[in-house]
Amino acid sequence: MVNVKMFVVACLVMFTLCVFAQPAFSQEKININTASVEQLTQLNGIGPAVAQKIVEYRQEKKFSSIDELTNVKGVGEKTLEKFRDQLTVGDN
């Protein structure tokens, strides 16, 4: 009986890890031309205020490259390097 309980608990733990760890291992990139403020705040170093500035910037001009993010106040080269590989500008 103990082994059955341990098996069930182990299955529940594995299921929980698979469900909640999925975003951390996701290979899908964030499109900075379409991402919401909430999506942008998932990036290391981007808080709600800077995410809102990114959204406002792209309303004036779509990003044609990831490097253009440094034109947004609050995003410097060091910050950009933390998450560059997680970004895309889409099909532009």
Side-chain angles (χ1 to χ4, degrees):
M1 187 66 165
V2 173
N3 286 337
V4 173
K5 287 182 182 179
M6 289 179 67
F7 177 76
V8 170
V9 169
C11 287
L12 288 173
V13 169
M14 292 303 293
F15 175 76
T16 303
L17 286 174
C18 289
V19 169
F20 291 108
Q22 184 179 5
F25 297 110
S26 176
Q27 296 296 333
E28 190 169 328
K29 294 188 176 197
I30 295 174
N31 183 334
I32 58 176
N33 282 315
T34 60
S36 67
V37 170
E38 291 78 21
Q39 290 170 313
L40 292 167
T41 58
Q42 294 176 7
L43 300 168
N44 185 20
I46 301 296
V50 174
Q52 184 61 43
K53 289 178 186 177
I54 293 170
V55 170
E56 290 169 2
Y57 180 93
R58 73 166 186 237
Q59 289 172 344
E60 298 294 321
K61 177 184 179 222
K62 292 270 187 192
F63 292 98
S64 59
S65 76
I66 293 168
D67 292 319
E68 285 182 51
L69 267 177
T70 59
N71 294 338
V72 177
K73 187 174 181 174
V75 181
E77 279 295 324
K78 289 182 181 180
T79 301
L80 179 58
E81 289 309 313
K82 292 178 187 177
F83 50 76
R84 175 186 292 277
D85 62 333
Q86 299 171 46
L87 302 176
T88 183
V89 291
D91 296 331
N92 294 1

